[in-house]
Amino acid sequence: MPYQFENASVLIVDDMKPMVSLLSSLLRIFGFRHIYTAYDGQEAFKQFCKHRPDIILTDWMMEPNDGIALVERVRKDSLSPNKFVPIIFMTGYSHRIRVERARDAGITEFLAKPFNVKDLYARIERLIEKPRQFVEATDFFGPDRRRKNPKDYDGPFRRGEDDTVSEDDQPLEVDMVERERTELMLEVLRKEISQETQ
Amino acid sequence: MPGNKKTPGGKARYYTPPNFLREKVGSGGIDPKILNKAQTFLDEHDVEFAPFAARFLAMLEEAIRDVRSGKLTGKAALSALTGPIMELKANGGMFRYRLVTEIAGVILNFLENLDELNEDALHLVDAHRKTLDVIAMNNLKGDGGAEGRKLAMALYEACRRYYAKYDLAPKG
C-alpha cells in the first residue's frame, strides 16, 4: 500500500504567496490533506504551536523572522511543542557556507530552489525512511549533521573518524542537479584560470 | 526525551525520536503516476512572474546604488546584493523562467565567492541586473534556447575574466 499522506500534516512557510500556493497544490497531489501555511517565521511558529504539523517546509529569506530563526526557535524554544519535528529547508542559496549555516541551525533536509517534483518527494521520503538521530551538545541541538550511527561511537577519536564518509554516512545533500551544475562550472573555471595563468 | 543516550565523552547526547511520520503514513512509497501528475502540474503552472521580478530587481538596483555611494559596505553590501539575486534564481525556475534562474545563478555564484566588492564587480552585477530585467519584463519563459545559453555563457565568461584579473579562485 502506498504512503497514506492524508494522515500526516505539513506546514508550508514562504513569503512568496505563489510559492505557497504551488507547494500546497503539489502536496495535495501527493495526497496530503492537512496543509497549513504561513508567510514568515513568526507567524509560522504560531501555526506550528497551534497545529503541531508532522513536517515543516520552510523558505530561508523572510521578513521579519527568517527561516533560520524559525528553525532555531522550533529546536530550542521552551514553547516549542515538538523539537524533533522534521524540517525541510528551501532556498536559492546553495553555496557550501550557506548549506552549513542552515545545517548548524538544525534543519533536517536541504532543498535547493528551483527544484523539481522528484527533488521534493525525495526529501519527504527521506524523512520517513531515513530519519535522523538528534544530537544535543553544548552549542547545538538538532538532527545529526551526518547520517552516522552513534552505536559506532568509540571514544575520543570520533572527530577524526568524521572525515571518513560511507554510503550510509552522507553529509547533508544539496540536490544533485544543483550540485552537478555548480561543480561543473567551478571545474571549468578552475581549468581556465589555470590555463590563463600558465 | 525518547531514546536518550549519553556519549562516553559526556559532551553530547543522542536521541532517537519516535518516527511519527512513518506511523502515520505507513510504507510503500508513492505511485510514479502521481509524481508525473505533480511534475506536469509544476511544468504547466502559470504565474505572472514579472511583478515579483520587478520588485527583486528594484531591490538589487537600490543595493547597487547604496554600495556605490558607500552607504553599504563589507558583508552588509554583499548581503544586500545577494538577497534579491538569490530570490530571482530560486523563484524564476519555479515559475518557468529558467533563463532567469541560470543568469541569476551565475552572478549569485560569483558574489558568493567574493570577500569584498569593487567597481568592476559592481559593474558585472549591474550587467546581470540589466539582462535579467530585459528577460523578466519581456516575459521570456523557458531556458531561452541556444541564444539564452549564449547569453548566460557570455556573462559567465565576464565573471571568469574578473577572477583572472584579480587572481581569485572560486571557493566552491
PDB file of all heavy atoms in Angstrom, chain A residues 89 91-100 107 109-114 119 123 126 132 171-183, chain B residues 89:
ATOM      1  N   PHE A  89      14.298  22.521   4.466  1.00  0.00           N
ATOM      2  CA  PHE A  89      14.679  23.927   4.338  1.00  0.00           C
ATOM      3  C   PHE A  89      14.907  24.262   2.862  1.00  0.00           C
ATOM      4  O   PHE A  89      15.782  23.689   2.220  1.00  0.00           O
ATOM      5  CB  PHE A  89      15.961  24.134   5.148  1.00  0.00           C
ATOM      6  CG  PHE A  89      16.259  25.546   5.509  1.00  0.00           C
ATOM      7  CD1 PHE A  89      15.524  26.191   6.489  1.00  0.00           C
ATOM      8  CD2 PHE A  89      17.300  26.230   4.906  1.00  0.00           C
ATOM      9  CE1 PHE A  89      15.813  27.498   6.844  1.00  0.00           C
ATOM     10  CE2 PHE A  89      17.593  27.534   5.258  1.00  0.00           C
ATOM     11  CZ  PHE A  89      16.849  28.168   6.232  1.00  0.00           C
ATOM     12  N   THR A  91      15.769  26.976  -0.231  1.00  0.00           N
ATOM     13  CA  THR A  91      16.399  28.268  -0.512  1.00  0.00           C
ATOM     14  C   THR A  91      17.077  28.240  -1.874  1.00  0.00           C
ATOM     15  O   THR A  91      17.416  27.171  -2.378  1.00  0.00           O
ATOM     16  CB  THR A  91      17.437  28.636   0.566  1.00  0.00           C
ATOM     17  OG1 THR A  91      18.072  29.867   0.207  1.00  0.00           O
ATOM     18  CG2 THR A  91      18.484  27.576   0.748  1.00  0.00           C
ATOM     19  N   GLY A  92      17.265  29.436  -2.428  1.00  0.00           N
ATOM     20  CA  GLY A  92      18.014  29.545  -3.675  1.00  0.00           C
ATOM     21  C   GLY A  92      19.507  29.511  -3.437  1.00  0.00           C
ATOM     22  O   GLY A  92      20.289  29.337  -4.364  1.00  0.00           O
ATOM     23  N   TYR A  93      19.918  29.691  -2.189  1.00  0.00           N
ATOM     24  CA  TYR A  93      21.345  29.606  -1.878  1.00  0.00           C
ATOM     25  C   TYR A  93      21.781  28.149  -1.910  1.00  0.00           C
ATOM     26  O   TYR A  93      21.063  27.276  -1.419  1.00  0.00           O
ATOM     27  CB  TYR A  93      21.627  30.134  -0.465  1.00  0.00           C
ATOM     28  CG  TYR A  93      21.501  31.626  -0.313  1.00  0.00           C
ATOM     29  CD1 TYR A  93      20.643  32.176   0.634  1.00  0.00           C
ATOM     30  CD2 TYR A  93      22.266  32.497  -1.085  1.00  0.00           C
ATOM     31  CE1 TYR A  93      20.529  33.549   0.801  1.00  0.00           C
ATOM     32  CE2 TYR A  93      22.152  33.871  -0.928  1.00  0.00           C
ATOM     33  CZ  TYR A  93      21.290  34.392   0.012  1.00  0.00           C
ATOM     34  OH  TYR A  93      21.185  35.748   0.166  1.00  0.00           O
ATOM     35  N   SER A  94      22.961  27.913  -2.452  1.00  0.00           N
ATOM     36  CA  SER A  94      23.454  26.533  -2.427  1.00  0.00           C
ATOM     37  C   SER A  94      24.954  26.487  -2.167  1.00  0.00           C
ATOM     38  O   SER A  94      25.555  25.425  -2.219  1.00  0.00           O
ATOM     39  CB  SER A  94      23.117  25.829  -3.737  1.00  0.00           C
ATOM     40  OG  SER A  94      23.622  26.572  -4.819  1.00  0.00           O
ATOM     41  N   HIS A  95      25.544  27.656  -1.904  1.00  0.00           N
ATOM     42  CA  HIS A  95      26.965  27.691  -1.595  1.00  0.00           C
ATOM     43  C   HIS A  95      27.217  26.911  -0.307  1.00  0.00           C
ATOM     44  O   HIS A  95      26.382  26.930   0.605  1.00  0.00           O
ATOM     45  CB  HIS A  95      27.395  29.151  -1.422  1.00  0.00           C
ATOM     46  CG  HIS A  95      28.876  29.356  -1.470  1.00  0.00           C
ATOM     47  ND1 HIS A  95      29.669  29.230  -0.365  1.00  0.00           N
ATOM     48  CD2 HIS A  95      29.706  29.659  -2.497  1.00  0.00           C
ATOM     49  CE1 HIS A  95      30.930  29.473  -0.706  1.00  0.00           C
ATOM     50  NE2 HIS A  95      30.972  29.735  -1.990  1.00  0.00           N
ATOM     51  N   ARG A  96      28.348  26.248  -0.263  1.00  0.00           N
ATOM     52  CA  ARG A  96      28.668  25.374   0.868  1.00  0.00           C
ATOM     53  C   ARG A  96      28.484  26.067   2.220  1.00  0.00           C
ATOM     54  O   ARG A  96      27.911  25.500   3.160  1.00  0.00           O
ATOM     55  CB  ARG A  96      30.126  24.884   0.730  1.00  0.00           C
ATOM     56  CG  ARG A  96      30.610  23.980   1.832  1.00  0.00           C
ATOM     57  CD  ARG A  96      32.037  23.531   1.570  1.00  0.00           C
ATOM     58  NE  ARG A  96      32.947  24.628   1.246  1.00  0.00           N
ATOM     59  CZ  ARG A  96      33.506  25.424   2.159  1.00  0.00           C
ATOM     60  NH1 ARG A  96      33.252  25.262   3.441  1.00  0.00           N
ATOM     61  NH2 ARG A  96      34.327  26.392   1.787  1.00  0.00           N
ATOM     62  N   ILE A  97      28.928  27.319   2.300  1.00  0.00           N
ATOM     63  CA  ILE A  97      28.853  28.029   3.584  1.00  0.00           C
ATOM     64  C   ILE A  97      27.392  28.233   4.014  1.00  0.00           C
ATOM     65  O   ILE A  97      27.058  28.123   5.188  1.00  0.00           O
ATOM     66  CB  ILE A  97      29.600  29.376   3.480  1.00  0.00           C
ATOM     67  CG1 ILE A  97      31.098  29.089   3.339  1.00  0.00           C
ATOM     68  CG2 ILE A  97      29.332  30.269   4.681  1.00  0.00           C
ATOM     69  CD1 ILE A  97      31.928  30.262   2.908  1.00  0.00           C
ATOM     70  N   ARG A  98      26.535  28.482   3.035  1.00  0.00           N
ATOM     71  CA  ARG A  98      25.108  28.667   3.339  1.00  0.00           C
ATOM     72  C   ARG A  98      24.482  27.351   3.806  1.00  0.00           C
ATOM     73  O   ARG A  98      23.676  27.340   4.737  1.00  0.00           O
ATOM     74  CB  ARG A  98      24.368  29.153   2.093  1.00  0.00           C
ATOM     75  CG  ARG A  98      24.925  30.409   1.487  1.00  0.00           C
ATOM     76  CD  ARG A  98      24.409  31.637   2.167  1.00  0.00           C
ATOM     77  NE  ARG A  98      24.800  32.830   1.442  1.00  0.00           N
ATOM     78  CZ  ARG A  98      24.451  34.055   1.786  1.00  0.00           C
ATOM     79  NH1 ARG A  98      23.713  34.267   2.850  1.00  0.00           N
ATOM     80  NH2 ARG A  98      24.849  35.085   1.091  1.00  0.00           N
ATOM     81  N   VAL A  99      24.841  26.268   3.112  1.00  0.00           N
ATOM     82  CA  VAL A  99      24.289  24.964   3.495  1.00  0.00           C
ATOM     83  C   VAL A  99      24.718  24.631   4.928  1.00  0.00           C
ATOM     84  O   VAL A  99      23.912  24.167   5.742  1.00  0.00           O
ATOM     85  CB  VAL A  99      24.755  23.847   2.524  1.00  0.00           C
ATOM     86  CG1 VAL A  99      24.237  22.486   2.967  1.00  0.00           C
ATOM     87  CG2 VAL A  99      24.289  24.145   1.103  1.00  0.00           C
ATOM     88  N   GLU A 100      25.965  24.917   5.235  1.00  0.00           N
ATOM     89  CA  GLU A 100      26.461  24.635   6.593  1.00  0.00           C
ATOM     90  C   GLU A 100      25.754  25.495   7.635  1.00  0.00           C
ATOM     91  O   GLU A 100      25.463  25.029   8.733  1.00  0.00           O
ATOM     92  CB  GLU A 100      27.982  24.866   6.645  1.00  0.00           C
ATOM     93  CG  GLU A 100      28.743  23.761   5.941  1.00  0.00           C
ATOM     94  CD  GLU A 100      30.231  24.039   5.822  1.00  0.00           C
ATOM     95  OE1 GLU A 100      30.710  25.101   6.306  1.00  0.00           O
ATOM     96  OE2 GLU A 100      30.927  23.195   5.215  1.00  0.00           O
ATOM     97  N   ILE A 107      18.349  22.153  10.692  1.00  0.00           N
ATOM     98  CA  ILE A 107      17.412  21.656   9.675  1.00  0.00           C
ATOM     99  C   ILE A 107      17.576  20.138   9.507  1.00  0.00           C
ATOM    100  O   ILE A 107      18.597  19.575   9.906  1.00  0.00           O
ATOM    101  CB  ILE A 107      17.619  22.342   8.308  1.00  0.00           C
ATOM    102  CG1 ILE A 107      18.948  21.917   7.658  1.00  0.00           C
ATOM    103  CG2 ILE A 107      17.569  23.844   8.461  1.00  0.00           C
ATOM    104  CD1 ILE A 107      19.062  22.308   6.206  1.00  0.00           C
ATOM    105  N   GLU A 109      16.478  18.461   6.268  1.00  0.00           N
ATOM    106  CA  GLU A 109      16.845  18.272   4.861  1.00  0.00           C
ATOM    107  C   GLU A 109      16.950  19.628   4.181  1.00  0.00           C
ATOM    108  O   GLU A 109      16.219  20.558   4.517  1.00  0.00           O
ATOM    109  CB  GLU A 109      15.792  17.427   4.122  1.00  0.00           C
ATOM    110  CG  GLU A 109      15.624  16.013   4.645  1.00  0.00           C
ATOM    111  CD  GLU A 109      16.834  15.127   4.367  1.00  0.00           C
ATOM    112  OE1 GLU A 109      17.659  15.469   3.495  1.00  0.00           O
ATOM    113  OE2 GLU A 109      16.959  14.091   5.047  1.00  0.00           O
ATOM    114  N   PHE A 110      17.838  19.714   3.198  1.00  0.00           N
ATOM    115  CA  PHE A 110      18.068  20.946   2.444  1.00  0.00           C
ATOM    116  C   PHE A 110      17.529  20.752   1.032  1.00  0.00           C
ATOM    117  O   PHE A 110      17.824  19.737   0.392  1.00  0.00           O
ATOM    118  CB  PHE A 110      19.573  21.218   2.404  1.00  0.00           C
ATOM    119  CG  PHE A 110      19.955  22.561   1.860  1.00  0.00           C
ATOM    120  CD1 PHE A 110      20.159  23.639   2.709  1.00  0.00           C
ATOM    121  CD2 PHE A 110      20.143  22.751   0.500  1.00  0.00           C
ATOM    122  CE1 PHE A 110      20.521  24.885   2.210  1.00  0.00           C
ATOM    123  CE2 PHE A 110      20.512  23.987  -0.007  1.00  0.00           C
ATOM    124  CZ  PHE A 110      20.712  25.056   0.856  1.00  0.00           C
ATOM    125  N   LEU A 111      16.745  21.704   0.559  1.00  0.00           N
ATOM    126  CA  LEU A 111      16.165  21.600  -0.776  1.00  0.00           C
ATOM    127  C   LEU A 111      16.451  22.889  -1.543  1.00  0.00           C
ATOM    128  O   LEU A 111      15.898  23.940  -1.226  1.00  0.00           O
ATOM    129  CB  LEU A 111      14.650  21.370  -0.668  1.00  0.00           C
ATOM    130  CG  LEU A 111      13.856  21.223  -1.954  1.00  0.00           C
ATOM    131  CD1 LEU A 111      14.368  20.081  -2.825  1.00  0.00           C
ATOM    132  CD2 LEU A 111      12.377  21.005  -1.638  1.00  0.00           C
ATOM    133  N   ALA A 112      17.369  22.782  -2.515  1.00  0.00           N
ATOM    134  CA  ALA A 112      17.749  23.984  -3.266  1.00  0.00           C
ATOM    135  C   ALA A 112      16.677  24.329  -4.292  1.00  0.00           C
ATOM    136  O   ALA A 112      16.182  23.467  -5.008  1.00  0.00           O
ATOM    137  CB  ALA A 112      19.091  23.759  -3.960  1.00  0.00           C
ATOM    138  N   LYS A 113      16.330  25.613  -4.338  1.00  0.00           N
ATOM    139  CA  LYS A 113      15.378  26.113  -5.334  1.00  0.00           C
ATOM    140  C   LYS A 113      16.145  26.605  -6.558  1.00  0.00           C
ATOM    141  O   LYS A 113      17.196  27.214  -6.382  1.00  0.00           O
ATOM    142  CB  LYS A 113      14.586  27.296  -4.771  1.00  0.00           C
ATOM    143  CG  LYS A 113      13.516  26.969  -3.771  1.00  0.00           C
ATOM    144  CD  LYS A 113      12.880  28.311  -3.406  1.00  0.00           C
ATOM    145  CE  LYS A 113      11.800  28.205  -2.380  1.00  0.00           C
ATOM    146  NZ  LYS A 113      11.325  29.534  -1.963  1.00  0.00           N
ATOM    147  N   PRO A 114      15.641  26.443  -7.752  1.00  0.00           N
ATOM    148  CA  PRO A 114      14.393  25.758  -8.061  1.00  0.00           C
ATOM    149  C   PRO A 114      14.569  24.240  -7.980  1.00  0.00           C
ATOM    150  O   PRO A 114      15.666  23.736  -8.174  1.00  0.00           O
ATOM    151  CB  PRO A 114      14.096  26.191  -9.494  1.00  0.00           C
ATOM    152  CG  PRO A 114      15.441  26.482 -10.087  1.00  0.00           C
ATOM    153  CD  PRO A 114      16.290  26.994  -8.969  1.00  0.00           C
ATOM    154  N   ASP A 119      12.773  15.952  -6.606  1.00  0.00           N
ATOM    155  CA  ASP A 119      13.603  16.505  -5.514  1.00  0.00           C
ATOM    156  C   ASP A 119      12.766  16.661  -4.243  1.00  0.00           C
ATOM    157  O   ASP A 119      13.192  16.298  -3.150  1.00  0.00           O
ATOM    158  CB  ASP A 119      14.154  17.895  -5.879  1.00  0.00           C
ATOM    159  CG  ASP A 119      15.133  17.864  -7.043  1.00  0.00           C
ATOM    160  OD1 ASP A 119      15.812  16.846  -7.220  1.00  0.00           O
ATOM    161  OD2 ASP A 119      15.196  18.871  -7.783  1.00  0.00           O
ATOM    162  N   ARG A 123      12.983  14.346  -0.595  1.00  0.00           N
ATOM    163  CA  ARG A 123      13.224  14.855   0.764  1.00  0.00           C
ATOM    164  C   ARG A 123      12.177  14.299   1.729  1.00  0.00           C
ATOM    165  O   ARG A 123      12.495  13.919   2.856  1.00  0.00           O
ATOM    166  CB  ARG A 123      13.184  16.389   0.800  1.00  0.00           C
ATOM    167  CG  ARG A 123      14.216  17.079  -0.073  1.00  0.00           C
ATOM    168  CD  ARG A 123      15.621  16.607   0.229  1.00  0.00           C
ATOM    169  NE  ARG A 123      16.633  17.316  -0.534  1.00  0.00           N
ATOM    170  CZ  ARG A 123      16.940  17.070  -1.812  1.00  0.00           C
ATOM    171  NH1 ARG A 123      16.291  16.152  -2.485  1.00  0.00           N
ATOM    172  NH2 ARG A 123      17.900  17.735  -2.417  1.00  0.00           N
ATOM    173  N   ARG A 126      12.817  10.710   2.449  1.00  0.00           N
ATOM    174  CA  ARG A 126      13.955  10.513   3.355  1.00  0.00           C
ATOM    175  C   ARG A 126      13.569  10.766   4.814  1.00  0.00           C
ATOM    176  O   ARG A 126      14.091  10.127   5.722  1.00  0.00           O
ATOM    177  CB  ARG A 126      15.117  11.411   2.928  1.00  0.00           C
ATOM    178  CG  ARG A 126      16.457  10.895   3.393  1.00  0.00           C
ATOM    179  CD  ARG A 126      17.562  11.170   2.420  1.00  0.00           C
ATOM    180  NE  ARG A 126      17.640  12.574   2.035  1.00  0.00           N
ATOM    181  CZ  ARG A 126      18.334  13.002   0.988  1.00  0.00           C
ATOM    182  NH1 ARG A 126      18.985  12.168   0.229  1.00  0.00           N
ATOM    183  NH2 ARG A 126      18.377  14.277   0.704  1.00  0.00           N
ATOM    184  N   ARG A 132      16.688  11.133  10.916  1.00  0.00           N
ATOM    185  CA  ARG A 132      17.972  11.417  11.559  1.00  0.00           C
ATOM    186  C   ARG A 132      17.868  11.288  13.075  1.00  0.00           C
ATOM    187  O   ARG A 132      16.863  11.668  13.655  1.00  0.00           O
ATOM    188  CB  ARG A 132      18.428  12.842  11.230  1.00  0.00           C
ATOM    189  CG  ARG A 132      18.834  13.030   9.801  1.00  0.00           C
ATOM    190  CD  ARG A 132      19.123  14.495   9.527  1.00  0.00           C
ATOM    191  NE  ARG A 132      19.488  14.657   8.132  1.00  0.00           N
ATOM    192  CZ  ARG A 132      20.740  14.553   7.682  1.00  0.00           C
ATOM    193  NH1 ARG A 132      21.733  14.326   8.516  1.00  0.00           N
ATOM    194  NH2 ARG A 132      20.999  14.695   6.403  1.00  0.00           N
ATOM    195  N   PRO A 171      26.939  13.524   4.300  1.00  0.00           N
ATOM    196  CA  PRO A 171      26.588  14.834   4.827  1.00  0.00           C
ATOM    197  C   PRO A 171      25.300  15.322   4.174  1.00  0.00           C
ATOM    198  O   PRO A 171      24.872  14.759   3.170  1.00  0.00           O
ATOM    199  CB  PRO A 171      27.764  15.725   4.412  1.00  0.00           C
ATOM    200  CG  PRO A 171      28.679  14.899   3.622  1.00  0.00           C
ATOM    201  CD  PRO A 171      28.117  13.531   3.463  1.00  0.00           C
ATOM    202  N   LEU A 172      24.743  16.368   4.747  1.00  0.00           N
ATOM    203  CA  LEU A 172      23.510  16.914   4.216  1.00  0.00           C
ATOM    204  C   LEU A 172      23.654  17.221   2.726  1.00  0.00           C
ATOM    205  O   LEU A 172      24.629  17.788   2.299  1.00  0.00           O
ATOM    206  CB  LEU A 172      23.224  18.205   4.965  1.00  0.00           C
ATOM    207  CG  LEU A 172      21.815  18.639   5.121  1.00  0.00           C
ATOM    208  CD1 LEU A 172      21.011  17.565   5.805  1.00  0.00           C
ATOM    209  CD2 LEU A 172      21.783  19.900   5.923  1.00  0.00           C
ATOM    210  N   GLU A 173      22.651  16.832   1.944  1.00  0.00           N
ATOM    211  CA  GLU A 173      22.794  16.964   0.488  1.00  0.00           C
ATOM    212  C   GLU A 173      22.106  18.188  -0.076  1.00  0.00           C
ATOM    213  O   GLU A 173      21.010  18.525   0.304  1.00  0.00           O
ATOM    214  CB  GLU A 173      22.185  15.735  -0.184  1.00  0.00           C
ATOM    215  CG  GLU A 173      23.059  14.535  -0.077  1.00  0.00           C
ATOM    216  CD  GLU A 173      22.441  13.344  -0.782  1.00  0.00           C
ATOM    217  OE1 GLU A 173      21.521  13.540  -1.597  1.00  0.00           O
ATOM    218  OE2 GLU A 173      22.892  12.240  -0.504  1.00  0.00           O
ATOM    219  N   VAL A 174      22.788  18.796  -1.025  1.00  0.00           N
ATOM    220  CA  VAL A 174      22.150  19.768  -1.900  1.00  0.00           C
ATOM    221  C   VAL A 174      21.651  18.920  -3.053  1.00  0.00           C
ATOM    222  O   VAL A 174      22.200  17.861  -3.327  1.00  0.00           O
ATOM    223  CB  VAL A 174      23.196  20.772  -2.410  1.00  0.00           C
ATOM    224  CG1 VAL A 174      22.580  21.736  -3.395  1.00  0.00           C
ATOM    225  CG2 VAL A 174      23.812  21.504  -1.253  1.00  0.00           C
ATOM    226  N   ASP A 175      20.587  19.312  -3.738  1.00  0.00           N
ATOM    227  CA  ASP A 175      20.095  18.392  -4.756  1.00  0.00           C
ATOM    228  C   ASP A 175      21.104  18.222  -5.878  1.00  0.00           C
ATOM    229  O   ASP A 175      21.930  19.074  -6.151  1.00  0.00           O
ATOM    230  CB  ASP A 175      18.706  18.805  -5.251  1.00  0.00           C
ATOM    231  CG  ASP A 175      18.749  19.839  -6.332  1.00  0.00           C
ATOM    232  OD1 ASP A 175      19.135  19.498  -7.442  1.00  0.00           O
ATOM    233  OD2 ASP A 175      18.371  20.981  -6.045  1.00  0.00           O
ATOM    234  N   MET A 176      21.026  17.072  -6.530  1.00  0.00           N
ATOM    235  CA  MET A 176      22.067  16.648  -7.458  1.00  0.00           C
ATOM    236  C   MET A 176      22.222  17.599  -8.646  1.00  0.00           C
ATOM    237  O   MET A 176      23.329  17.920  -9.042  1.00  0.00           O
ATOM    238  CB  MET A 176      21.748  15.243  -7.985  1.00  0.00           C
ATOM    239  CG  MET A 176      22.023  14.150  -6.982  1.00  0.00           C
ATOM    240  SD  MET A 176      23.743  14.160  -6.440  1.00  0.00           S
ATOM    241  CE  MET A 176      24.553  13.612  -7.930  1.00  0.00           C
ATOM    242  N   VAL A 177      21.107  18.039  -9.206  1.00  0.00           N
ATOM    243  CA  VAL A 177      21.188  18.912 -10.378  1.00  0.00           C
ATOM    244  C   VAL A 177      21.980  20.162 -10.025  1.00  0.00           C
ATOM    245  O   VAL A 177      22.897  20.572 -10.732  1.00  0.00           O
ATOM    246  CB  VAL A 177      19.766  19.305 -10.849  1.00  0.00           C
ATOM    247  CG1 VAL A 177      19.840  20.273 -12.009  1.00  0.00           C
ATOM    248  CG2 VAL A 177      18.999  18.059 -11.241  1.00  0.00           C
ATOM    249  N   GLU A 178      21.623  20.739  -8.887  1.00  0.00           N
ATOM    250  CA  GLU A 178      22.275  21.968  -8.443  1.00  0.00           C
ATOM    251  C   GLU A 178      23.763  21.738  -8.213  1.00  0.00           C
ATOM    252  O   GLU A 178      24.608  22.503  -8.642  1.00  0.00           O
ATOM    253  CB  GLU A 178      21.608  22.425  -7.150  1.00  0.00           C
ATOM    254  CG  GLU A 178      22.178  23.676  -6.560  1.00  0.00           C
ATOM    255  CD  GLU A 178      21.778  24.914  -7.326  1.00  0.00           C
ATOM    256  OE1 GLU A 178      20.771  24.878  -8.060  1.00  0.00           O
ATOM    257  OE2 GLU A 178      22.499  25.900  -7.231  1.00  0.00           O
ATOM    258  N   ARG A 179      24.065  20.656  -7.534  1.00  0.00           N
ATOM    259  CA  ARG A 179      25.462  20.388  -7.185  1.00  0.00           C
ATOM    260  C   ARG A 179      26.286  20.111  -8.434  1.00  0.00           C
ATOM    261  O   ARG A 179      27.381  20.626  -8.596  1.00  0.00           O
ATOM    262  CB  ARG A 179      25.528  19.206  -6.217  1.00  0.00           C
ATOM    263  CG  ARG A 179      26.901  19.065  -5.579  1.00  0.00           C
ATOM    264  CD  ARG A 179      26.875  18.123  -4.438  1.00  0.00           C
ATOM    265  NE  ARG A 179      26.328  16.833  -4.815  1.00  0.00           N
ATOM    266  CZ  ARG A 179      26.055  15.869  -3.952  1.00  0.00           C
ATOM    267  NH1 ARG A 179      26.223  16.071  -2.669  1.00  0.00           N
ATOM    268  NH2 ARG A 179      25.601  14.720  -4.349  1.00  0.00           N
ATOM    269  N   GLU A 180      25.729  19.305  -9.333  1.00  0.00           N
ATOM    270  CA  GLU A 180      26.464  18.984 -10.561  1.00  0.00           C
ATOM    271  C   GLU A 180      26.716  20.237 -11.385  1.00  0.00           C
ATOM    272  O   GLU A 180      27.793  20.436 -11.924  1.00  0.00           O
ATOM    273  CB  GLU A 180      25.680  17.959 -11.385  1.00  0.00           C
ATOM    274  CG  GLU A 180      25.837  16.559 -10.841  1.00  0.00           C
ATOM    275  CD  GLU A 180      24.906  15.579 -11.528  1.00  0.00           C
ATOM    276  OE1 GLU A 180      24.251  15.962 -12.506  1.00  0.00           O
ATOM    277  OE2 GLU A 180      24.854  14.434 -11.058  1.00  0.00           O
ATOM    278  N   ARG A 181      25.699  21.086 -11.464  1.00  0.00           N
ATOM    279  CA  ARG A 181      25.852  22.310 -12.245  1.00  0.00           C
ATOM    280  C   ARG A 181      26.943  23.196 -11.656  1.00  0.00           C
ATOM    281  O   ARG A 181      27.834  23.664 -12.352  1.00  0.00           O
ATOM    282  CB  ARG A 181      24.518  23.076 -12.265  1.00  0.00           C
ATOM    283  CG  ARG A 181      24.478  24.225 -13.249  1.00  0.00           C
ATOM    284  CD  ARG A 181      23.092  24.844 -13.267  1.00  0.00           C
ATOM    285  NE  ARG A 181      22.820  25.580 -12.055  1.00  0.00           N
ATOM    286  CZ  ARG A 181      23.151  26.856 -11.877  1.00  0.00           C
ATOM    287  NH1 ARG A 181      23.733  27.523 -12.820  1.00  0.00           N
ATOM    288  NH2 ARG A 181      22.885  27.458 -10.746  1.00  0.00           N
ATOM    289  N   THR A 182      26.889  23.368 -10.333  1.00  0.00           N
ATOM    290  CA  THR A 182      27.873  24.217  -9.672  1.00  0.00           C
ATOM    291  C   THR A 182      29.272  23.632  -9.800  1.00  0.00           C
ATOM    292  O   THR A 182      30.229  24.333 -10.111  1.00  0.00           O
ATOM    293  CB  THR A 182      27.507  24.378  -8.183  1.00  0.00           C
ATOM    294  OG1 THR A 182      26.176  24.845  -8.117  1.00  0.00           O
ATOM    295  CG2 THR A 182      28.422  25.358  -7.498  1.00  0.00           C
ATOM    296  N   GLU A 183      29.359  22.328  -9.588  1.00  0.00           N
ATOM    297  CA  GLU A 183      30.684  21.699  -9.657  1.00  0.00           C
ATOM    298  C   GLU A 183      31.256  21.767 -11.061  1.00  0.00           C
ATOM    299  O   GLU A 183      32.446  22.000 -11.254  1.00  0.00           O
ATOM    300  CB  GLU A 183      30.602  20.249  -9.168  1.00  0.00           C
ATOM    301  CG  GLU A 183      30.543  20.191  -7.648  1.00  0.00           C
ATOM    302  CD  GLU A 183      30.388  18.793  -7.109  1.00  0.00           C
ATOM    303  OE1 GLU A 183      30.370  17.841  -7.905  1.00  0.00           O
ATOM    304  OE2 GLU A 183      30.299  18.669  -5.872  1.00  0.00           O
TER     305      GLU A 183
ATOM    306  N   LYS B  89      16.920  33.777  -8.644  1.00  0.00           N
ATOM    307  CA  LYS B  89      17.410  32.439  -9.013  1.00  0.00           C
ATOM    308  C   LYS B  89      16.431  31.365  -8.529  1.00  0.00           C
ATOM    309  O   LYS B  89      16.084  30.434  -9.247  1.00  0.00           O
ATOM    310  CB  LYS B  89      18.803  32.227  -8.399  1.00  0.00           C
ATOM    311  CG  LYS B  89      19.443  30.901  -8.741  1.00  0.00           C
ATOM    312  CD  LYS B  89      19.752  30.147  -7.476  1.00  0.00           C
ATOM    313  CE  LYS B  89      20.201  28.730  -7.748  1.00  0.00           C
ATOM    314  NZ  LYS B  89      20.295  27.927  -6.548  1.00  0.00           N
TER     315      LYS B  89
END
